[in-house]
Amino acid sequence: MRRDSRLSRMLHVLIHMDRHYKRATSDTIAQMLGTNAVVVRRTMAGLRKQGYVHSEQGHGGGWELARELTDISLFDVYQAIGAPPLFAIGPSVEQPECLVEQAVDARLNDALQEAETLLLERFRSVTVADIAQDFDACFAEHTHHT
Amino acid sequence: MRRDSRLSRMLHVLIHMDRHYKRATSDTIAQMLGTNAVVVRRTMAGLRKQGYVHSEQGHGGGWELARELTDISLFDVYQAIGAPPLFAIGPSVEQPECLVEQAVDARLNDALQEAETLLLERFRSVTVADIAQDFDACFAEHTHHT
DNA sequence: TTTTTCTGTAACAAGACGGGTTACGTGTAT
DNA sequence: ATACACGTAACCCGTCTTGTTACAGAAAAA
């Protein structure tokens, strides 16, 4: 368990739901992701709160998309799972007294901020539908295997 | 212990060594960083291997710079501490069979790769001396407090 | 030469966090 | 009623950084 894989997983799920299922149970999704139904519910709760998916309890219940994939960006999904920290490195303390440390952290935060801005900009500019189309192309390629 | 602070700490140390000490023991440095002498030795071992600092054992020993700060970039220090992972998010598995997952990971890795390239580019373009100069300016500002 | 002061490591505990698991409550169709 | 499926709390586990203790050299000082 090194890197947070929730974003990847949720994108994976959304595309499968759009392409292969009209409705899927947590268990079905869990098998798809190679994980547990509880983990699925836990993670997808964020997507539900944002209105990207809808869930129903009881017999015949499960999850279904509540929006078109064209209306969901990677950034939306990232936010929905709680906008976890992007970087694994960073300054040591919040408000250092030491002026040297302040100078170090300022430069470090500048660089990190630039990278974060770029990354989130990319997330904003890509919709889940874009990735689904990548899959379509790749799938066509794969089946015809020219 | 959320984010890896070794890079920040090593930059901090290098500047202090250049500006305030000709030679410093692990204990002195540890107090400066608010940590432990063993942690200092452990982390600075990487810098020593790369020849950025030099250490001597025994009475009167300790650490000293082995290079000019102008010759050490943030990237050099990042490498010296072992180039730890930069990102806290990422794909779930290495070689997914699922084509959907492959498409997701491809897009995700693209974005991460762009951000990583930018970040490391920034690290390469900034020397520890640059940060030391920031400190000098800030220190002058602070003492004269116009 | 013995003692003191250093570094060099190994070994282990603590704390945080993502993820997996169990258990139980609640709602819904059959 | 019963089976099915989500909602959630509680807990454990693996990993990683960091802190800590312990001990083995090495070098200067007494």
Side-chain angles (χ1 to χ4, degrees), chain B residues 22-93:
Chain B
K22 63 181 212 299
R23 179 172 290 195
T25 67
S26 300
D27 251 316
T28 305
I29 295 171
Q31 288 186 328
M32 192 176 82
L33 296 180
T35 180
N36 189 288
V38 179
V39 175
V40 171
R41 294 191 195 108
R42 187 192 290 157
T43 314
M44 292 190 66
L47 300 192
R48 185 184 49 226
K49 274 180 206 135
Q50 298 303 314
Y52 303 138
V53 296
H54 170 74
S55 67
E56 264 178 30
Q57 297 187 124
H59 194 118
W63 301 84
E64 49 184 21
L65 281 173
R67 269 212 216 170
E68 294 298 318
L69 295 192
T70 49
D71 295 338
I72 310 176
S73 69
L74 301 209
F75 182 75
D76 291 332
V77 180
Y78 168 71
Q79 293 271 65
I81 60 172
L86 294 173
F87 295 104
I89 65 172
S92 34
V93 292

Side-chain angles (χ1 to χ4, degrees), chain A residues 119-138:
Chain A
L119 187 56
L120 294 184
E121 186 49 49
R122 290 290 170 278
F123 282 180
R124 261 184 265 263
S125 70
V126 178
T127 68
V128 185
D130 292 331
I131 305 182
Q133 281 184 6
D134 291 349
F135 159 71
D136 291 339
C138 183

